[in-house]
Amino acid sequence: MGGTQESGTEGIRGGKDGRGGLGNVLSGVAVAVGFVLFLGAFVWGALVYQPYTVPTDSMMPTVNPGDRVLAQRIDGGEVRRGDVVVFTDSMWSDSPMVKRVVGIGGDTVKCCGEGGRLTVNGKELDEPYIEHTKPEAAAAGTGTGTGTGTGLGVASDTPFEVTVPEGNLFLLGDRRSASLDSRAHLQETGQGTVARSAVDARVDALAWPSMAMLERPGTYASLPGGTSQPGPLRLQLAAVLAGAALVVLGAAYGPVVRVLGRGRRREPAGAR
């Protein structure tokens, strides 16, 4: 009778202290699938995204100096209003720059409208992402713009009106008081606009020291073309986490079964 029970115990353990049997096959499959998901997501991410370090404060408070961002490699034709893009234009700098697209080909971008806000084709924009001035500065009338939304964000301290040429983009920094952007190049050919072909990537997320997705501003959604869709970063992160979980669970199966098997062997003889 003891032999029969020992045989049953071995069947429960799947043989050789948890090594072998259906459980071992399933744990091996879990580990293999986990590695494929984990490594595949990293390779996919490396192909789709490019990391950049932002050296200046022109995009505060959205992006701070020294922040590491993940930018999706895209074609310039995919750019929409509200996107934060990485571009290189020799008229601006020999290094990649990061700015926000506020106007595309055919748009008339003006500051400031009757409400003291930036306007695109006559529509006033609510720009919650721009840097807010201190209440006392706003009350004292600092800048030519009054505020956006809360009355604290200054749309621009430089008045302008530009019709963007087809195939070009009008770009501004979120820290309007300190950003050298399209407004600094108004007297040049194209009135400070940049060709779509100059765009290398679109910023999708902050990676370091904080981690956060960059949301598409809703104020542009009602304009023709709407806003762009987020890249596959969330799906890639989910694949990495799922892969890691499968590897851990699959690798833990054997040790757990062996511990349970030793516990059964220690049962007193009377328990049979």
Side-chain angles (χ1 to χ4, degrees), residues 246-268:
L246 285 172
V247 169
V248 170
L249 292 174
Y253 172 80
V256 168
V257 170
R258 283 195 292 272
V259 169
L260 294 177
R262 283 196 295 269
R264 291 192 185 96
R265 288 198 298 272
R266 290 186 186 129
E267 291 179 356

Side-chain angles (χ1 to χ4, degrees), residues 4 19 36 38 50 57 63 80 113 123 148 167 176 200 209 243 255:
T4 302
R19 296 187 295 271
V36 170
F38 188 83
Q50 173 73 38
D57 61 359
V63 184
R80 299 289 182 270
K123 172 183 169 59
T148 68
R176 301 288 165 78
D200 301 311

Side-chain angles (χ1 to χ4, degrees), residues 197-261:
S197 59
V199 174
D200 301 311
R202 176 173 51 218
V203 177
D204 230 11
L206 303 177
W208 182 263
S210 60
M211 296 183 65
M213 299 293 295
L214 254 61
E215 301 298 329
R216 273 41 175 182
T219 190
Y220 298 95
S222 61
L223 293 172
T227 54
S228 62
Q229 295 299 312
L233 184 58
R234 283 192 174 96
L235 181 58
Q236 291 167 351
L237 291 174
V240 167
L241 294 175
L246 285 172
V247 169
V248 170
L249 292 174
Y253 172 80
V256 168
V257 170
R258 283 195 292 272
V259 169
L260 294 177

Side-chain angles (χ1 to χ4, degrees), residues 32-138:
V33 172
F35 270 120
V36 170
L37 283 174
F38 188 83
L39 296 177
F42 269 110
V43 172
W44 183 18
L47 293 174
V48 174
Y49 286 95
Q50 173 73 38
Y52 290 91
T53 299
V54 179
T56 70
D57 61 359
S58 67
M59 282 300 295
M60 290 177 63
T62 305
V63 184
N64 293 311
D67 278 359
R68 193 79 164 165
V69 301
L70 290 177
Q72 181 185 4
R73 295 182 175 93
I74 61 168
D75 180 82
E78 300 176 57
V79 175
R80 299 289 182 270
R81 302 179 191 89
D83 287 345
V84 176
V85 297
V86 180
F87 67 97
T88 305
D89 187 289
S90 60
M91 297 292 291
W92 293 42
S93 171
D94 292 329
S95 302
M97 302 188 72
V98 179
K99 303 293 179 186
R100 188 182 297 275
V101 177
V102 297
I104 61 175
D107 286 345
T108 297
V109 184
K110 179 181 177 181
C111 192
C112 297
E114 292 182 2
R117 302 180 180 184
L118 194 70
T119 68
V120 175
N121 303 329
K123 172 183 169 59
E124 290 192 349
L125 302 181
D126 180 16
E127 300 184 281
Y129 45 79
I130 68 174
E131 183 187 52
H132 287 180
T133 57
K134 294 180 179 180
E136 56 267 25

